[in-house]
Every structure is written in structure tokens, then in C-alpha cells.
Amino acid sequence: MSARQPIEVFPTTAALAKAAADRVVASAGRAQAKRGTFTIALSGGSTPRALFQLLSTERRIDWSRVQIWFGDERAVGPDHPDSNFHMAHESLLGPLNLPDNQVHRILGEAVDLRAEALRYGQEVKAGIGEADGWPVFDFMLQGIGTDGHTASLFPGTGAVGVVDRVAIHVVQPAYVRPAVERISLTAPVIQAAREIVVLAAGPDKAQVLPEVLDGPLELEKRPSQLIRQAKGQVVWLLDSAAASQLKGV
Ligand code: 6PG
């Protein structure tokens, strides 16, 4: 059994967001010093909002040398309240006023989502340096769903098992909300990142985390376990509520 990946637990969501922001700052500094730019893939959902709001006033990062990407997107337009881009724009991208050429949006409004997944995958491959044939993001922010999904790789869909392309179209299971289809980076791309920070907060994540972190590897059942097979540096940043059922933390 491989050792459990590093976990840090914080008493409040504010402290959690601050710790995550400090990691983004450190990662950006390393990347920009070594390669001149910093590539980050943002997760969606609601948890990252506090982090994005903190980063929107962060002056320790040279934002002119940051490329913003998305780990996944809902099949809605950029102004839709369910859009991951919309949340990131409201909390981070708008306040930073980043130029369009620094923000790589997944076009959730695309009529042909399979074609859009292919297009986004090609944009990622063209825009990100590669290693072993996979694009390598400097920083990959991941969330986790109560069903153990990450990005839009939902259990029972086979999505986590797609290992021959960069991005895929995913038809969401019936229980998923919002009830829209997705486009998601694939497991190999997430796993290739130099650094992965998983953010999870709230009591509703407490039950799934022990299975994901410590349970037997069953990726189709708990796709977030793909992070346990990541190549780079991984840390799970949790608040006390989310960590409440984890042994030894
Ligand atoms: C999405 C996300 C997804 C998210 C988890 C957690 O598009 O919904 O990318 O993977 O990170 O569902 O979402 P919450 O932060 O809202 O709990």
C-alpha cells in the first residue's frame, strides 16, 4: 500500500484559501524563474471562489507572465451562473483584468462538445510544454465531488479511463447537478502536472475523502483516486469539516 499523500487541515475556509494562495504564489515564482511563465489549470465548482478572491489582489505574482487554463467546464455559456469560467471571471479574472491571450476558456457554449473537447485539447498541447507526450501544467487545482469525481471525471462514466487524449466530452450521470454535459481534462493530463493542490471543504466531503485517500484503488468508482498516481507534487488542503473522518489527521 503506497503511503498516504500529504494532507494539511485548516480550521476555517479562510485559512484554507490562504494556504492555497500561498502555494500558488510559490509555484508561480518557481515556474517563472525557471521557464519565464506560469501555467495553471483552475478547477470549478464553489470551493475555489475564496481562493480566487484572495488571488485577485495578490501582488506577489507577476500576472503578466501567467497563463490561465481550465480543468473542466459545464456545457453553458461564459455568462451562465453555472459556468466555471463565469465564477473565475467574477472572482479573479475580471478583477485582474487579464488580457484575453492569457486566458484559455473551454467554450461551454459550443454546439458540438466533442469537437470543442478536441479543439481545447489541441490548444493545450500547443500552449503547454510536454513531457512523455503529455502537456505538463505547472499547477493543477483540483476539487472533489461527494461522489469522488474530480474535474468532470464522474464515476461510472468511463471518463477516468480515457487515456488517449487531452480533453474529453462527458455526459454527466443523472444525479449530477447542474444537469449539463461537461468538457474535462483527462486523467493523464491531471497526473502529469508539476504540482497538484486538491481543495476540499465542508462536511459533505468528509465521507468520501477516506475512501479516496486511503481506500483500495478503484478509479472508476472514485475517480479522484487518479491523483494518488500523479507524477508531481501533490497536497490535499482540507478544512476541519472535510477532514473530520480521516484517521490520523
Ligand atoms: C465542476 C468542478 C468539480 C468540482 C467539484 C467540487 O465543474 O463542478 O470542476 O470537479 O471541483 O464538483 O465542487 P464544489 O467545490 O462546488 O463542492
Side-chain angles (χ1 to χ4, degrees):
M1 180 70 155
S2 59
R4 180 197 266 180
Q5 291 178 321
I7 296 169
E8 294 182 16
V9 181
F10 300 88
T12 64
T13 50
L16 176 67
K18 175 68 169 70
D22 288 345
R23 283 182 176 270
V24 174
V25 169
S27 186
R30 286 193 295 273
Q32 291 175 342
K34 283 184 185 171
R35 289 173 295 278
T37 189
F38 176 55
T39 59
I40 180 171
L42 304 180
S43 62
S46 56
T47 304
R49 186 186 296 273
L51 165 60
F52 294 171
Q53 288 168 337
L54 267 185
L55 289 175
S56 71
T57 60
E58 181 55 70
R59 290 291 166 258
R60 293 175 290 172
I61 294 176
D62 176 355
W63 290 103
S64 70
R65 295 190 291 149
V66 174
Q67 292 292 322
I68 301 277
W69 299 81
F70 289 83
D72 65 335
E73 187 54 276
R74 288 85 178 271
V76 293
D79 299 325
H80 193 286
D82 287 337
S83 162
N84 289 336
F85 169 83
H86 178 71
M87 190 274 277
H89 189 267
E90 264 191 335
S91 53
L92 176 63
L93 306 179
L96 286 176
N97 194 27
L98 288 185
D100 289 348
N101 65 0
Q102 288 183 238
V103 180
H104 307 270
R105 187 170 70 84
I106 301 172
L107 308 181
E109 69 275 25
V111 173
D112 184 339
L113 292 170
R114 287 173 63 89
E116 172 53 17
L118 187 63
R119 182 207 67 77
Y120 185 67
Q122 289 167 341
E123 183 179 359
V124 169
K125 282 177 74 77
I128 303 276
E130 292 195 358
D132 302 330
W134 292 103
V136 179
F137 284 91
D138 292 312
F139 196 101
M140 184 73 67
L141 184 64
Q142 293 301 128
I144 180 170
T146 55
D147 62 353
H149 79 259
T150 193
S152 288
L153 306 176
F154 294 104
T157 63
V160 71
V162 175
V163 295
D164 65 349
R165 73 202 82 148
V166 170
I168 53 170
H169 162 229
V170 180
V171 177
Q172 81 293 354
Y175 65 86
V176 166
R177 294 295 175 272
V180 292
E181 298 177 14
R182 288 353 194 245
I183 289 174
S184 179
L185 292 179
T186 56
V189 177
I190 295 169
Q191 291 169 330
R194 289 188 179 85
E195 186 171 354
I196 300 176
V197 166
V198 186
L199 271 188
D204 63 341
K205 306 294 171 71
Q207 184 176 349
V208 72
L209 277 166
E211 295 172 52
V212 168
L213 279 163
D214 303 325
L217 281 176
E218 300 173 282
L219 269 61
E220 187 52 32
K221 186 178 168 201
R222 296 280 181 256
S224 297
Q225 289 184 329
L226 72 90
I227 297 166
R228 288 170 53 181
Q229 299 170 323
K231 296 176 182 168
Q233 182 186 340
V234 177
V235 66
W236 297 69
L237 302 184
L238 313 174
D239 73 355
S240 305
S244 60
Q245 293 185 27
L246 284 170
K247 291 185 173 58
V249 295

